[in-house]
């Protein structure tokens, strides 16, 4: 509920009939605001008050499901403008577009390579988007079937021609593709088609005013599985519109815009398409359609998505606990670093890259980097000794050699003294770990 | 319902900072550039004036870099050994707004060059290009405290952008910036409180706020970029809400972070699923920059000419905004 008790009170009849079970309208309003009771318990609510209260009770942005019931792609349900306030909820979906006049097998081959392994996580594009450029319903349907059978992801169907869309849907029963798009010209028929087939629908207009108007008309027809496309294609205009749509939904609970918004990358060059998509991903798209489809182009976009949608509450420190990378054995090397997340992640990534299983021991430096913690006296021989003891390294490995970050080579002597372990000075930059590991531990 | 655009009202705006000084102003630059001044969140032109576009600085070293990946050779192989030639290439070849000279040679563990040598390199680069210059020390505070004051003195009046001042090491650099008329980079370790505190300490020494650029520290895409992104967003919101000690423009040393990651540099054979290194490296840098521009970054420091091209295009598109 976005309204306060007093705001709700103003909408009530203020007659204190007690029919709701509360002695006064004010007491009832307070209970509604606290979410303890539904406004429907008041039998004397005016239709306008009911509409306002229902709108306020609805989530600021609807959750929309694209694709089969069992394995849908979820978009929307966002409640924030800035990730530092609270974690964003549903990752922006990435759709790769192909025209029905293109070489489909070539597309499918590229598309299937757009799943990535990185730092133990799996990133993947979410949707295949088919655009009808042929103007031929038969060809569009044929391409849709091919994608449905081989792409392994839900579909977006792009055509404003209702007859072309209608011809493709009978072969996609239960697939619930996203239909793109309903416009002021075709919305009656397109909405009916979407409803009949249980499909989510893109609402497309030429301005935010027109979009607001069109969304209301479609909702009045009874369809609410909607995504919003303001029609803008220039980078700055898309940014402006996406920002307005998100603010309207989250700050104003403006009902016509209480749906996830989407954007199309419009640059002609794939690299520029990715840079443009970074803007839309950062500022408020819930779905992006682009044509770039080489792994080297798509991986940076998916990596930023994973970063952006991560939990901002996650501290910038990692737990100062030993981490095993790969299939470690008692003979595996031990790398010492600090518990500053950024330092730890880069060391972890490089140790994994070295393909030589190892332990990483993040010393508790209160989340400061190697040089900073050394300068502040937090990374010392004694601190390393404490970390070795607390993590029971002596019982995990059958040797007594540790690798010290190259930047703190000066700590070699004191560390050797404090720990009784032999010290190997490692590379300064984590990027040197693979080479260092090959030379020392193969 | 009729949709009314939602326009935020802010109390304040970002401080304007001028970089460089022309002959008339006591320097030798052909022109100065102004950065900052935004009265709105990034590129939301309908909300307030965005008088200056973000600037692109290209990073050069005063010694040939041993660890830059091979993809830089086609652009710089013949200029790595001469920072003056390298600087010219960045400006006239690749359209850099600023040259960012990193005095790596001063590092006691590299060449340990003298403060006098470093000052001479700075003068040489100043002679080679007409744009304002950013000068970074080697990163070792004890040495930089010798090098940077010498550089500041030799380039007196040029209004260099000098860095880095840090919480535990800002006094000698601030003093040098005041005496020799330069602007300062104040770096804080992804921490908004330290960021603010450092600006207070520096302005208490009587360097005006308009001569400070904030480096909130950035990480590369995939290595904690989101932390830097959120700090920058918070700094910018703070500036617009009227916090004078967060109101300076921001600089991000992106190239140096990106080009040590495996994602930017590893050949395709190492991770076949990641695709070709060429596009991947360029986009790792451009993506990091594009994301931070959305958080409010004002000066983007890059290495790869193709990333520079993509980000310039991105900035041009974003500055061509319209109303809602």
């Amino acid at each position: 509920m976005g309204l306060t008790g007093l705001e709700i009170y103003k909408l009530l009849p203020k007659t204190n009939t007690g029919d709701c079970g509360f002695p006064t309208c004010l007491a009832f309003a307070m209970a509604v605001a606290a979410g303890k009771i539904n406004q429907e318990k008041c039998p004397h609510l005016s239709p306008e008050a009911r509409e306002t209260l229902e709108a306020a009770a609805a989530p600021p942005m609807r959750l929309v499901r694209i694709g089969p019931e069992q394995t849908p792609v979820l978009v929307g349900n966002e409640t924030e403008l800035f990730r530092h306030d609270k974690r964003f909820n549903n990752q922006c979906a990435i759709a790769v577009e192909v025209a029905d006049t293109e070489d489909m097998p070539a597309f499918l081959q590229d598309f299937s390579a757009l799943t990535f392994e990185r730092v133990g996580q799996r990133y993947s594009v979410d949707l295949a988007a088919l655009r009808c450029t042929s103007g031929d319903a038969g060809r569009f349907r044929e391409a849709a079937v091919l994608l449905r059978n081989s792409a392994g992801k839900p579909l977006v169907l792009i055509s404003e021609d209702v007859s072309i869309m209608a011809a493709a849907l009978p072969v996609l029963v239960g697939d619930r593709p996203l239909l793109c798009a309903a416009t002021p010209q075709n919305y009656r028929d397109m909405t009916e088609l979407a409803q009949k087939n249980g499909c989510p629908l893109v609402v497309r207009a030429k301005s935010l005013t027109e979009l607001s108007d069109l969304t209301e008309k479609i909702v009045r027809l009874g369809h609410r599985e909607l995504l919003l496309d303001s029609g803008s294609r220039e980078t700055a205009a898309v940014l402006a519109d996406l920002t307005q749509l998100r603010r309207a939904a989250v700050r104003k609970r403006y009902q016509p815009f209480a749906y996830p918004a989407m954007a199309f990358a419009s640059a002609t060059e794939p690299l520029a398409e990715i840079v443009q998509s970074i803007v839309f991903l950062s500022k408020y798209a819930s779905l992006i359609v682009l044509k770039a489809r080489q792994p080297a182009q798509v991986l940076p976009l998916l990596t930023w998505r994973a970063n952006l949608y991560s939990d901002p509450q996650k501290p910038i420190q990692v737990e100062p606990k030993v981490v095993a990378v790969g299939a470690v054995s008692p003979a595996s090397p031990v790398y010492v670093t600090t518990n500053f997340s950024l330092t730890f992640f880069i060391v972890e990534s490089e140790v994994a890259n070295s393909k030589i299983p190892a332990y990483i021991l993040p010393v508790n430096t209160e989340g400061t980097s190697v040089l900073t913690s050394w300068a502040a006296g937090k990374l010392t021989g004694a601190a390393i000794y404490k970390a070795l003891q607390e993590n029971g390294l002596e019982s995990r490995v059958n040797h007594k050699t540790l690798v010290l970050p190259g930047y703190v080579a000066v700590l070699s002597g004191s560390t050797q003294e404090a720990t009784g372990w032999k010290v190997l000075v490692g590379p300064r930059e984590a990027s040197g770990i693979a080479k260092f590991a090959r030379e020392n531990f193969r | 319902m009729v949709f009314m655009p939602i326009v935020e009202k802010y109390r304040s705006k970002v401080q304007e900072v001028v970089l460089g000084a022309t002959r008339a102003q006591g320097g030798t630059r052909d022109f100065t550039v102004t950065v900052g001044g935004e009265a709105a969140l990034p590129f939301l032109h309908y909300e307030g004036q965005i008088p200056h576009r973000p600037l692109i600085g290209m990073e050069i070293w005063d010694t040939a870099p041993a660890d830059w990946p091979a993809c830089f050779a086609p652009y710089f192989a013949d200029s790595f050994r001469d920072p003056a030639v390298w600087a010219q290439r960045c400006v006239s070849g690749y359209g850099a707004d600023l040259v960012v000279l990193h005095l790596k040679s001063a590092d006691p563990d590299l060449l340990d060059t003298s403060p006098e040598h470093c000052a001479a390199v700075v003068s040489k680069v100043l002679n080679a290009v007409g744009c304002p210059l950013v000068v970074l020390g080697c990163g070792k505070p004890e040495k930089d405290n010798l090098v940077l004051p010498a550089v500041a003195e030799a380039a007196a009046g040029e209004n260099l952008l000098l860095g880095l001042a840090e919480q535990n090491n800002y006094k000698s650099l601030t003093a040098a910036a005041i005496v020799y008329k330069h602007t300062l980079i104040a770096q804080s370790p992804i921490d908004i409180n330290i960021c603010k505190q450092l600006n207070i300490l520096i302005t208490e020494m009587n360097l005006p706020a308009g001569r400070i650029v904030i480096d909130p520290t950035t990480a590369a895409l995939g290595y904690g970029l989101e932390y830097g992104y959120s700090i920058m967003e918070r700094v910018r919101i703070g500036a617009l809400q009227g916090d004078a000690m967060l109101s300076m423009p921001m600089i991000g040393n992106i190239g140096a972070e990106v080009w040590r990651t495996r994602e930017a540099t590893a050949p395709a054979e190492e991770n076949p699923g990641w695709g070709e290194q060429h596009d991947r490296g360029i986009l790792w840098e451009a993506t990091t920059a594009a994301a931070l521009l959305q958080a409010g970054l004002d000066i983007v420091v890059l290495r790869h000419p193709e990333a520079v091209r993509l980000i310039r295009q991105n900035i041009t598109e974003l500055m061509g905004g319209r109303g809602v």
Side-chain angles (χ1 to χ4, degrees), chain B residues 218-261:
Chain B
T218 178
L221 173 64
Y223 291 89
L225 174 58
E226 68 275 26
Y227 293 106
Y229 178 87
S230 284
I231 290 290
M232 285 188 195
E233 276 198 316
R234 290 172 60 198
V235 168
R236 181 49 41 90
I237 291 168
L240 295 176
Q241 288 176 344
D243 190 332
M245 287 298 112
L246 292 175
S247 71
M248 300 76 172
M250 294 183 280
I251 187 170
N253 210 350
I254 290 165
E257 290 300 322
V258 164
W259 290 101
R260 60 181 196 174
T261 69

CSV table of all heavy atoms in Angstrom, one decimal, chain B residues 218-261:
chain,number,residue,atom,x,y,z
B,218,THR,N,37.2,3.3,-9.6
B,218,THR,CA,36.3,2.4,-10.3
B,218,THR,C,37.0,1.0,-10.5
B,218,THR,O,38.2,0.9,-10.5
B,218,THR,CB,36.0,3.0,-11.7
B,218,THR,OG1,35.2,2.1,-12.4
B,218,THR,CG2,37.2,3.3,-12.5
B,219,ALA,N,36.1,0.0,-10.6
B,219,ALA,CA,36.6,-1.3,-10.9
B,219,ALA,C,36.2,-1.6,-12.3
B,219,ALA,O,35.3,-0.9,-12.9
B,219,ALA,CB,36.1,-2.3,-10.0
B,220,ALA,N,36.7,-2.7,-12.9
B,220,ALA,CA,36.3,-3.0,-14.3
B,220,ALA,C,35.0,-3.8,-14.3
B,220,ALA,O,34.6,-4.4,-13.3
B,220,ALA,CB,37.4,-3.9,-14.9
B,221,LEU,N,34.4,-3.8,-15.4
B,221,LEU,CA,33.2,-4.7,-15.6
B,221,LEU,C,33.5,-6.1,-15.1
B,221,LEU,O,34.5,-6.6,-15.5
B,221,LEU,CB,32.9,-4.7,-17.1
B,221,LEU,CG,31.8,-5.6,-17.6
B,221,LEU,CD1,30.5,-5.3,-17.0
B,221,LEU,CD2,31.7,-5.6,-19.1
B,222,GLY,N,32.6,-6.6,-14.3
B,222,GLY,CA,32.8,-8.0,-13.9
B,222,GLY,C,33.7,-8.1,-12.6
B,222,GLY,O,33.8,-9.2,-12.1
B,223,TYR,N,34.3,-7.0,-12.2
B,223,TYR,CA,35.1,-7.0,-11.0
B,223,TYR,C,34.7,-6.0,-10.0
B,223,TYR,O,35.6,-5.3,-9.4
B,223,TYR,CB,36.6,-6.8,-11.5
B,223,TYR,CG,37.1,-8.0,-12.2
B,223,TYR,CD1,37.0,-8.1,-13.6
B,223,TYR,CD2,37.7,-9.1,-11.6
B,223,TYR,CE1,37.4,-9.2,-14.3
B,223,TYR,CE2,38.1,-10.2,-12.3
B,223,TYR,CZ,37.9,-10.3,-13.7
B,223,TYR,OH,38.3,-11.4,-14.3
B,224,GLY,N,33.4,-5.8,-9.9
B,224,GLY,CA,32.9,-4.9,-8.9
B,224,GLY,C,32.6,-3.5,-9.5
B,224,GLY,O,32.5,-2.6,-8.7
B,225,LEU,N,32.4,-3.5,-10.8
B,225,LEU,CA,31.9,-2.2,-11.4
B,225,LEU,C,30.7,-1.6,-10.7
B,225,LEU,O,30.6,-0.4,-10.6
B,225,LEU,CB,31.6,-2.5,-12.9
B,225,LEU,CG,31.0,-1.3,-13.7
B,225,LEU,CD1,31.9,-0.1,-13.6
B,225,LEU,CD2,30.8,-1.7,-15.1
B,226,GLU,N,29.8,-2.5,-10.3
B,226,GLU,CA,28.6,-2.1,-9.7
B,226,GLU,C,28.8,-1.3,-8.4
B,226,GLU,O,28.0,-0.4,-8.1
B,226,GLU,CB,27.6,-3.2,-9.4
B,226,GLU,CG,28.0,-4.2,-8.3
B,226,GLU,CD,29.0,-5.3,-8.9
B,226,GLU,OE1,29.7,-5.1,-9.9
B,226,GLU,OE2,29.0,-6.4,-8.3
B,227,TYR,N,29.9,-1.5,-7.7
B,227,TYR,CA,30.2,-0.8,-6.5
B,227,TYR,C,30.5,0.7,-6.8
B,227,TYR,O,30.0,1.6,-6.2
B,227,TYR,CB,31.3,-1.4,-5.7
B,227,TYR,CG,31.0,-2.7,-5.1
B,227,TYR,CD1,31.5,-3.9,-5.6
B,227,TYR,CD2,30.2,-2.8,-4.0
B,227,TYR,CE1,31.3,-5.2,-5.1
B,227,TYR,CE2,29.9,-4.1,-3.4
B,227,TYR,CZ,30.4,-5.2,-4.0
B,227,TYR,OH,30.2,-6.5,-3.4
B,228,GLY,N,31.4,0.8,-7.8
B,228,GLY,CA,31.8,2.1,-8.2
B,228,GLY,C,30.6,2.9,-8.8
B,228,GLY,O,30.4,4.1,-8.6
B,229,TYR,N,29.8,2.2,-9.6
B,229,TYR,CA,28.6,2.7,-10.2
B,229,TYR,C,27.7,3.3,-9.2
B,229,TYR,O,27.2,4.5,-9.3
B,229,TYR,CB,27.9,1.6,-11.0
B,229,TYR,CG,26.6,2.0,-11.7
B,229,TYR,CD1,26.6,2.5,-13.0
B,229,TYR,CD2,25.4,1.8,-11.1
B,229,TYR,CE1,25.4,2.9,-13.6
B,229,TYR,CE2,24.2,2.1,-11.7
B,229,TYR,CZ,24.2,2.6,-13.0
B,229,TYR,OH,23.1,2.9,-13.6
B,230,SER,N,27.4,2.6,-8.1
B,230,SER,CA,26.5,3.0,-7.1
B,230,SER,C,27.1,4.2,-6.3
B,230,SER,O,26.4,5.1,-5.9
B,230,SER,CB,26.1,1.9,-6.2
B,230,SER,OG,25.2,1.0,-6.8
B,231,ILE,N,28.4,4.2,-6.0
B,231,ILE,CA,29.0,5.3,-5.3
B,231,ILE,C,28.9,6.5,-6.2
B,231,ILE,O,28.5,7.6,-5.7
B,231,ILE,CB,30.5,5.0,-5.0
B,231,ILE,CG1,30.6,3.9,-3.9
B,231,ILE,CG2,31.2,6.3,-4.6
B,231,ILE,CD1,30.1,4.3,-2.5
B,232,MET,N,29.1,6.4,-7.5
B,232,MET,CA,29.0,7.6,-8.4
B,232,MET,C,27.6,8.1,-8.4
B,232,MET,O,27.4,9.3,-8.4
B,232,MET,CB,29.5,7.3,-9.8
B,232,MET,CG,31.0,7.2,-9.9
B,232,MET,SD,31.6,7.0,-11.6
B,232,MET,CE,33.3,6.5,-11.3
B,233,GLU,N,26.6,7.2,-8.5
B,233,GLU,CA,25.2,7.7,-8.5
B,233,GLU,C,24.9,8.4,-7.2
B,233,GLU,O,24.3,9.5,-7.2
B,233,GLU,CB,24.3,6.5,-8.6
B,233,GLU,CG,24.1,6.0,-10.0
B,233,GLU,CD,22.8,5.1,-10.1
B,233,GLU,OE1,22.6,4.2,-9.3
B,233,GLU,OE2,22.0,5.3,-11.1
B,234,ARG,N,25.4,7.9,-6.1
B,234,ARG,CA,25.1,8.6,-4.8
B,234,ARG,C,25.9,9.9,-4.7
B,234,ARG,O,25.3,10.9,-4.2
B,234,ARG,CB,25.5,7.6,-3.7
B,234,ARG,CG,24.6,6.4,-3.5
B,234,ARG,CD,25.1,5.4,-2.5
B,234,ARG,NE,25.2,6.0,-1.2
B,234,ARG,CZ,25.9,5.5,-0.2
B,234,ARG,NH1,26.6,4.4,-0.4
B,234,ARG,NH2,25.9,6.1,1.0
B,235,VAL,N,27.1,10.0,-5.2
B,235,VAL,CA,27.8,11.2,-5.2
B,235,VAL,C,27.1,12.3,-6.0
B,235,VAL,O,26.9,13.4,-5.6
B,235,VAL,CB,29.3,11.1,-5.7
B,235,VAL,CG1,29.9,12.4,-6.0
B,235,VAL,CG2,30.1,10.2,-4.8
B,236,ARG,N,26.6,11.9,-7.2
B,236,ARG,CA,25.9,12.8,-8.1
B,236,ARG,C,24.6,13.3,-7.5
B,236,ARG,O,24.3,14.5,-7.5
B,236,ARG,CB,25.7,12.2,-9.5
B,236,ARG,CG,25.0,13.1,-10.5
B,236,ARG,CD,25.6,14.5,-10.6
B,236,ARG,NE,27.1,14.5,-10.6
B,236,ARG,CZ,27.9,14.5,-11.6
B,236,ARG,NH1,27.4,14.3,-12.8
B,236,ARG,NH2,29.2,14.6,-11.5
B,237,ILE,N,23.9,12.3,-6.9
B,237,ILE,CA,22.6,12.7,-6.3
B,237,ILE,C,22.9,13.7,-5.1
B,237,ILE,O,22.2,14.7,-4.9
B,237,ILE,CB,21.8,11.5,-5.8
B,237,ILE,CG1,21.3,10.7,-7.0
B,237,ILE,CG2,20.7,11.8,-4.9
B,237,ILE,CD1,20.8,9.3,-6.7
B,238,GLY,N,23.9,13.4,-4.4
B,238,GLY,CA,24.4,14.3,-3.3
B,238,GLY,C,24.7,15.7,-3.8
B,238,GLY,O,24.2,16.7,-3.2
B,239,ALA,N,25.4,15.8,-4.9
B,239,ALA,CA,25.7,17.1,-5.5
B,239,ALA,C,24.4,17.8,-5.8
B,239,ALA,O,24.3,19.0,-5.5
B,239,ALA,CB,26.6,16.9,-6.7
B,240,LEU,N,23.5,17.2,-6.5
B,240,LEU,CA,22.3,17.8,-6.9
B,240,LEU,C,21.4,18.2,-5.8
B,240,LEU,O,20.7,19.2,-5.8
B,240,LEU,CB,21.5,16.9,-7.9
B,240,LEU,CG,22.2,16.6,-9.2
B,240,LEU,CD1,21.4,15.6,-10.0
B,240,LEU,CD2,22.4,17.9,-10.0
B,241,GLN,N,21.5,17.5,-4.7
B,241,GLN,CA,20.7,17.8,-3.5
B,241,GLN,C,21.4,18.9,-2.6
B,241,GLN,O,20.9,19.3,-1.6
B,241,GLN,CB,20.5,16.6,-2.6
B,241,GLN,CG,19.5,15.7,-3.3
B,241,GLN,CD,19.3,14.4,-2.6
B,241,GLN,OE1,20.1,14.0,-1.7
B,241,GLN,NE2,18.2,13.6,-2.9
B,242,GLY,N,22.6,19.4,-3.1
B,242,GLY,CA,23.2,20.5,-2.4
B,242,GLY,C,24.3,20.3,-1.5
B,242,GLY,O,24.8,21.1,-0.8
B,243,ASP,N,24.9,19.1,-1.6
B,243,ASP,CA,26.1,18.8,-0.7
B,243,ASP,C,27.3,19.3,-1.5
B,243,ASP,O,27.8,18.6,-2.4
B,243,ASP,CB,26.2,17.3,-0.5
B,243,ASP,CG,27.3,17.0,0.6
B,243,ASP,OD1,28.2,17.8,0.7
B,243,ASP,OD2,27.2,16.0,1.3
B,244,ALA,N,27.8,20.4,-1.0
B,244,ALA,CA,29.0,21.1,-1.8
B,244,ALA,C,30.2,20.2,-1.8
B,244,ALA,O,31.0,20.3,-2.7
B,244,ALA,CB,29.3,22.4,-1.1
B,245,MET,N,30.4,19.4,-0.8
B,245,MET,CA,31.6,18.6,-0.7
B,245,MET,C,31.5,17.3,-1.5
B,245,MET,O,32.3,16.4,-1.4
B,245,MET,CB,31.9,18.3,0.8
B,245,MET,CG,32.5,19.5,1.5
B,245,MET,SD,34.0,20.1,0.8
B,245,MET,CE,33.5,21.7,0.1
B,246,LEU,N,30.4,17.1,-2.2
B,246,LEU,CA,30.2,16.0,-3.2
B,246,LEU,C,30.0,16.6,-4.6
B,246,LEU,O,29.6,15.8,-5.5
B,246,LEU,CB,29.1,15.1,-2.8
B,246,LEU,CG,29.3,14.3,-1.5
B,246,LEU,CD1,28.0,13.5,-1.2
B,246,LEU,CD2,30.4,13.3,-1.6
B,247,SER,N,30.1,17.9,-4.7
B,247,SER,CA,29.6,18.5,-5.9
B,247,SER,C,30.6,18.6,-7.1
B,247,SER,O,30.4,19.2,-8.1
B,247,SER,CB,29.1,19.9,-5.6
B,247,SER,OG,30.2,20.7,-5.3
B,248,MET,N,31.8,18.0,-6.9
B,248,MET,CA,32.8,18.2,-7.9
B,248,MET,C,32.6,17.2,-9.1
B,248,MET,O,32.0,16.1,-8.8
B,248,MET,CB,34.2,17.9,-7.4
B,248,MET,CG,34.6,18.9,-6.3
B,248,MET,SD,33.8,18.4,-4.7
B,248,MET,CE,34.6,19.5,-3.6
B,249,PRO,N,33.0,17.5,-10.3
B,249,PRO,CA,32.9,16.5,-11.4
B,249,PRO,C,33.8,15.2,-11.1
B,249,PRO,O,34.7,15.3,-10.2
B,249,PRO,CB,33.5,17.2,-12.6
B,249,PRO,CG,34.0,18.5,-12.1
B,249,PRO,CD,33.6,18.7,-10.7
B,250,MET,N,33.5,14.1,-11.7
B,250,MET,CA,34.1,12.9,-11.4
B,250,MET,C,35.0,12.4,-12.6
B,250,MET,O,34.6,12.5,-13.8
B,250,MET,CB,33.1,11.8,-11.1
B,250,MET,CG,32.3,12.1,-9.8
B,250,MET,SD,31.2,10.8,-9.3
B,250,MET,CE,29.8,11.2,-10.3
B,251,ILE,N,36.1,11.8,-12.3
B,251,ILE,CA,37.0,11.2,-13.3
B,251,ILE,C,37.1,9.6,-13.0
B,251,ILE,O,37.0,9.2,-11.8
B,251,ILE,CB,38.4,11.8,-13.3
B,251,ILE,CG1,39.2,11.3,-14.4
B,251,ILE,CG2,39.1,11.6,-11.9
B,251,ILE,CD1,40.5,12.1,-14.6
B,252,GLY,N,37.2,8.8,-14.0
B,252,GLY,CA,37.3,7.4,-13.9
B,252,GLY,C,38.5,6.9,-14.7
B,252,GLY,O,38.5,7.0,-15.9
B,253,ASN,N,39.4,6.2,-14.0
B,253,ASN,CA,40.6,5.7,-14.7
B,253,ASN,C,40.2,4.3,-15.2
B,253,ASN,O,40.7,3.3,-14.6
B,253,ASN,CB,41.7,5.6,-13.7
B,253,ASN,CG,43.1,5.8,-14.4
B,253,ASN,OD1,43.1,5.8,-15.6
B,253,ASN,ND2,44.1,6.0,-13.6
B,254,ILE,N,39.5,4.2,-16.3
B,254,ILE,CA,38.9,3.0,-16.7
B,254,ILE,C,39.8,2.0,-17.4
B,254,ILE,O,39.9,0.8,-17.2
B,254,ILE,CB,37.7,3.3,-17.6
B,254,ILE,CG1,36.6,3.9,-16.8
B,254,ILE,CG2,37.2,2.1,-18.4
B,254,ILE,CD1,35.5,4.6,-17.5
B,255,GLY,N,40.6,2.6,-18.4
B,255,GLY,CA,41.5,1.7,-19.2
B,255,GLY,C,42.4,0.9,-18.3
B,255,GLY,O,42.6,-0.3,-18.5
B,256,ALA,N,43.0,1.5,-17.3
B,256,ALA,CA,44.0,0.8,-16.5
B,256,ALA,C,43.3,-0.4,-15.7
B,256,ALA,O,44.0,-1.4,-15.5
B,256,ALA,CB,44.6,1.7,-15.4
B,257,GLU,N,42.1,-0.2,-15.3
B,257,GLU,CA,41.4,-1.3,-14.7
B,257,GLU,C,41.0,-2.4,-15.7
B,257,GLU,O,41.2,-3.6,-15.4
B,257,GLU,CB,40.1,-0.8,-14.0
B,257,GLU,CG,40.4,0.1,-12.8
B,257,GLU,CD,41.2,-0.7,-11.7
B,257,GLU,OE1,40.9,-1.9,-11.5
B,257,GLU,OE2,42.1,-0.1,-11.1
B,258,VAL,N,40.4,-2.0,-16.8
B,258,VAL,CA,39.9,-3.0,-17.7
B,258,VAL,C,41.0,-3.9,-18.4
B,258,VAL,O,40.8,-5.1,-18.5
B,258,VAL,CB,39.1,-2.2,-18.9
B,258,VAL,CG1,38.9,-3.2,-20.0
B,258,VAL,CG2,37.8,-1.7,-18.3
B,259,TRP,N,42.1,-3.2,-18.7
B,259,TRP,CA,43.1,-4.0,-19.5
B,259,TRP,C,44.0,-4.9,-18.7
B,259,TRP,O,45.0,-5.4,-19.2
B,259,TRP,CB,43.9,-3.0,-20.4
B,259,TRP,CG,43.0,-2.5,-21.5
B,259,TRP,CD1,42.4,-1.3,-21.6
B,259,TRP,CD2,42.5,-3.2,-22.7
B,259,TRP,NE1,41.6,-1.2,-22.7
B,259,TRP,CE2,41.7,-2.3,-23.4
B,259,TRP,CE3,42.8,-4.5,-23.2
B,259,TRP,CZ2,41.1,-2.7,-24.6
B,259,TRP,CZ3,42.2,-4.8,-24.4
B,259,TRP,CH2,41.3,-4.0,-25.1
B,260,ARG,N,43.7,-5.0,-17.4
B,260,ARG,CA,44.3,-6.1,-16.7
B,260,ARG,C,43.4,-7.3,-16.4
B,260,ARG,O,43.8,-8.2,-15.7
B,260,ARG,CB,45.0,-5.6,-15.4
B,260,ARG,CG,44.0,-5.0,-14.5
B,260,ARG,CD,44.7,-4.4,-13.2
B,260,ARG,NE,43.8,-4.2,-12.2
B,260,ARG,CZ,44.1,-3.8,-10.9
B,260,ARG,NH1,45.4,-3.7,-10.6
B,260,ARG,NH2,43.2,-3.6,-10.0
B,261,THR,N,42.2,-7.2,-16.9
B,261,THR,CA,41.3,-8.3,-16.7
B,261,THR,C,41.5,-9.4,-17.8
B,261,THR,O,41.9,-9.1,-18.9
B,261,THR,CB,39.8,-7.9,-16.7
B,261,THR,OG1,39.4,-7.5,-18.0
B,261,THR,CG2,39.5,-6.8,-15.8
